[in-house]
Amino acid sequence: MADRTLVITGGASGLGRGIAEAALARGWAVGLIDRDGDAVETVASEIGASAAAADVTRPAELTAAFERIVATYGPITGLINSAGLTRPAPAASMNPDDWQLVVDVNLNGTFYACRAAFPHLAENAAVVNIASIAATRGLPGRVAYSAAKAGVVGLTRALAAEWAEHGIRVNALGPSWVDTPLLQGMIRDGILEDDFNSRVPLGRMCSIADVAESALHLLSPGALFITGQTIYIDGGYLWSG
Ligand SMILES: NC(=O)c1ccc[n+]([C@@H]2O[C@H](COP(=O)([O-])OP(=O)(O)OC[C@H]3O[C@@H](n4cnc5c(N)ncnc54)[C@H](O)[C@@H]3O)[C@@H](O)[C@H]2O)c1
């Protein structure tokens, strides 16, 4: 049994993997959940985590994945919901299946993972949901993603209020652009605005380390009185001029 166990959905890539590596370096035991079964097994064995394949839109798969991780490490002290994707498209011509998928993975999947984790959460456990600047900024072509991430912010507030009586804190992080496979896909598809970096007052992109450090802080005793919040990690982008 481990002293501190962190479960990360979307743990096979990008931010999920980065947060996992940072947590392992601080002594956490880490269980990764991802839809991509091969990738999650490979990443887990590379970094020293355990793996469980599950699609966050399928509650029964999540239940089995959490049970598997808890059987290895014991109760969960931290949950990061990082599984996510985007399907940029103009709203008027967007395929309804794409709308459904984006909302299902980013919003419904976050709820299903919180619900599946709940019976295994230790007292004083903390949940960190990965939202986005898109939750609060209107970016053309990302109406489903914006709606889903705004939903994650609302879910975070309501769950924080509901689970406070169990000593469980629930917060969210809203990163700006981070260089991960998700962002690379948007660059390849010509979706990303050319000047996205020049509009960041601190003058650079958000890094995986920026997000990992904030996530670990929210999980730590230093954040024991923070719940229901969404912290935007954006170098000042959202609230500037
Ligand atoms: N990269 C950015 O610029 C950025 C900015 C803000 C927020 N985010 C959010 O951060 C989170 C992580 O994104 P990333 O950039 O690391 O992307 P990524 O594509 O590198 O990683 C996402 C992971 O989620 C997994 N996943 C997707 N659908 C799943 C499902 N149905 N069930 C289980 N796993 C699933 C993928 O297999 C992948 O391993 C997402 O929620 C994303 O919306 C990313």
Side-chain angles (χ1 to χ4, degrees):
M1 295 292 140
D3 286 345
R4 290 176 302 165
T5 299
L6 180 62
V7 178
I8 305 177
T9 73
S13 179
L15 289 173
R17 177 183 176 146
I19 296 167
E21 289 179 296
L24 286 160
R26 310 279 171 88
W28 288 76
V30 175
L32 306 178
I33 293 176
D34 205 282
R35 175 188 56 182
D36 187 335
D38 290 341
V40 76
E41 290 289 349
T42 304
V43 168
S45 73
E46 277 172 14
I47 68 176
S50 76
D55 184 325
V56 295
T57 68
R58 298 188 178 152
E61 290 186 13
L62 281 169
T63 298
F66 278 102
E67 279 169 3
R68 185 166 158 190
I69 292 168
V70 169
T72 307
Y73 294 134
I76 297 165
T77 36
L79 168 65
I80 307 276
N81 283 303
S82 189
L85 49 68
T86 183
R87 292 285 183 275
S93 57
M94 187 174 191
N95 180 334
D97 290 345
D98 282 343
W99 168 277
Q100 185 68 49
L101 178 69
V102 170
V103 173
D104 227 8
V105 175
N106 291 283
L107 175 56
N108 300 347
T110 298
F111 170 64
Y112 296 146
C114 288
R115 201 178 58 157
F118 181 72
H120 308 292
L121 291 177
E123 202 175 331
N124 286 331
V127 177
V128 178
N129 299 321
I130 307 296
S132 165
I133 53 167
T136 185
R137 179 93 194 201
L139 299 169
R142 269 150 281 183
V143 64
Y145 188 73
S146 291
K149 292 301 191 184
V152 169
V153 171
L155 179 157
T156 299
R157 291 182 188 134
L159 215 48
E162 188 173 316
W163 286 0
E165 67 173 303
H166 304 289
I168 299 165
R169 295 179 300 107
V170 187
N171 290 293
L173 293 173
S176 53
W177 300 271
V178 193
D179 191 4
T180 66
L182 182 149
L183 192 83
Q184 289 298 336
M186 290 180 65
I187 292 171
R188 263 197 316 277
D189 296 343
I191 304 296
L192 207 61
E193 294 77 8
D194 288 340
D195 63 342
F196 73 94
N197 255 338
S198 66
R199 289 182 278 150
V200 178
L202 288 182
R204 66 169 176 83
M205 285 181 75
C206 179
S207 69
I208 290 177
D210 290 325
V211 181
E213 288 305 316
S214 294
L216 290 179
H217 174 64
L218 288 174
L219 296 174
S220 77
L224 274 181
F225 207 52
I226 302 176
T227 194
Q229 300 300 319
T230 298
I231 298 174
Y232 293 99
I233 313 173
D234 69 344
Y237 168 76
L238 283 176
W239 315 138
S240 72

